[in-house]
């Protein structure tokens, strides 16, 4: 497994990391899967207080009890469950973040969170107040670093200018190259790490039948998937191709892969150990799906 430094932090994270949102409901199966990933070199595990109403954090906490110094744990905040459980509301206020972190720490069975991320964000948020909450938590030692999980260029630019974020988690794949327009270069310039999610484009690039996706027609999606298969060969899987496509971007630190089964984990591990795509392969893939641009949140 290869590792890269996340932005200007001292966190060295595996280039393929474990997206815990996809974990199932069986704590034993989850723990076995998480331990297997750790044993194979994956050290970065991403969850959120939103997932399974906090139970996702709890299963991660149980799995890594006694192994805390071996893992880098990231979680997220900002989506507040309603008391009746009917849904959640967006809440980036300082008061809420300072309360929510205590619940996350308890569920994760830890004294600190390595990376605490705002789970979204808009320009209408009290951004300075949100940043103040994160900075206070750093001072208190409850979190080591903070970042945001957002695809909105206008929000990302505000945090780049106004905060000390270590990272941005965003969607990036052959079928979602919108970050290439301005954001990847901006984050690289400011030494802010990028955690790429959605590299499989909901499975459309690796196994699912083609359908319209993010402004691409069904035929265009099929063309992109065909290009992936053309680069793959008997010694290389489609999963390896799409993950290596994401990792070819110098701004991207790690591909966060949602993992639910042992087979998915093995695919991710094989992809992490795979060869980088060469210039000809990258060019062929990029020609197969012309990049879109953000038509809002600019």
């Amino acid at each position: 497994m290869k590792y890269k430094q996340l932005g200007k932090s001292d966190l060295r994270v595996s280039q393929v990391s474990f997206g815990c949102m996809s974990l199932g409901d069986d704590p034993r199966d989850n723990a076995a899967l998480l331990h297997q990933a750790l044993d194979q070199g994956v050290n970065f595990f991403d969850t959120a207080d939103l997932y399974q109403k906090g139970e996702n954090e709890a299963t991660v906490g149980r799995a890594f009890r006694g192994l805390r110094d071996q893992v880098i744990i990231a979680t997220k905040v900002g989506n507040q469950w309603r008391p009746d459980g009917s849904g959640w509301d967006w809440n980036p206020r300082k008061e809420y973040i300072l309360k929510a972190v205590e619940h996350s720490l308890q569920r994760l069975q830890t004294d600190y969170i390595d990376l605490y991320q705002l789970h979204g964000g808009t320009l209408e948020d009290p951004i300075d107040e949100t940043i103040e909450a994160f900075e206070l938590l750093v001072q208190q030692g409850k979190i080591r670093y903070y970042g945001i999980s957002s695809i909105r260029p206008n929000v990302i630019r505000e945090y780049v200018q106004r905060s000390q974020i270590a990272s941005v988690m965003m969607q990036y794949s052959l079928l979602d190259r919108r970050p290439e327009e301005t954001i990847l270069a901006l984050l690289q310039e400011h030494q802010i790490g990028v955690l790429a999610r959605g590299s499989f484009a909901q499975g459309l690039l690796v196994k699912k039948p083609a359908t319209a996706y993010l402004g691409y027609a069904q035929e265009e999606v099929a063309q992109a998937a065909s290009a992936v298969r053309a680069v793959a060969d008997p010694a290389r899987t489609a999963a390896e191709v799409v993950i290596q496509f994401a990792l070819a971007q110098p701004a991207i630190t790690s591909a966060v892969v949602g993992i639910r089964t042992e087979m998915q984990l093995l695919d991710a591990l094989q992809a992490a150990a795979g060869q980088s795509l060469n210039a000809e392969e990258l060019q062929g893939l990029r020609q197969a799906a012309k990049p879109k641009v953000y038509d809002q949140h600019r």
Side-chain angles (χ1 to χ4, degrees), residues 100-119:
V101 73
E102 300 297 338
H103 297 299
S104 289
L105 288 167
Q106 183 178 21
R107 287 189 291 262
L108 290 165
Q109 301 188 40
T110 183
D111 296 327
Y112 65 93
I113 293 164
D114 295 292
L115 180 67
Y116 203 35
Q117 302 158 100
L118 185 68
H119 204 172

Side-chain angles (χ1 to χ4, degrees), residues 206-251:
V206 291
K207 60 181 179 180
K208 287 187 178 179
T211 186
Y213 179 76
L214 292 180
Y216 290 100
Q218 180 179 349
E219 295 76 13
E220 293 175 305
V221 172
Q223 181 177 331
S226 178
V228 169
R229 290 193 297 271
V231 172
D233 57 41
R236 180 188 268 173
T237 65
E240 182 177 336
V241 172
V242 297
I243 288 176
Q244 289 296 332
F245 178 82
L247 294 177
Q249 279 288 346

Side-chain angles (χ1 to χ4, degrees), residues 146-212:
Y146 64 95
I148 62 172
S149 177
S150 177
I151 62 170
R152 298 170 181 249
N154 53 10
V155 172
I156 292 170
R157 281 192 292 268
E158 289 300 314
Y159 277 88
V160 170
Q161 294 169 7
R162 297 158 69 172
S163 76
Q164 300 296 317
I165 55 171
S167 64
V168 174
M169 179 177 286
M170 65 174 64
Q171 186 165 291
Y172 179 77
S173 73
L174 180 58
L175 286 173
D176 191 356
R177 294 167 58 197
R178 292 175 296 175
E180 291 180 4
E181 184 188 8
T182 59
I183 295 303
L184 290 179
L186 174 70
L187 296 175
Q188 187 176 12
E189 176 188 352
H190 289 269
Q191 295 181 273
I192 296 169
V194 177
L195 302 168
R197 61 177 178 82
S199 300
F200 295 93
Q202 297 181 353
L204 294 171
L205 289 171
V206 291
K207 60 181 179 180
K208 287 187 178 179
T211 186

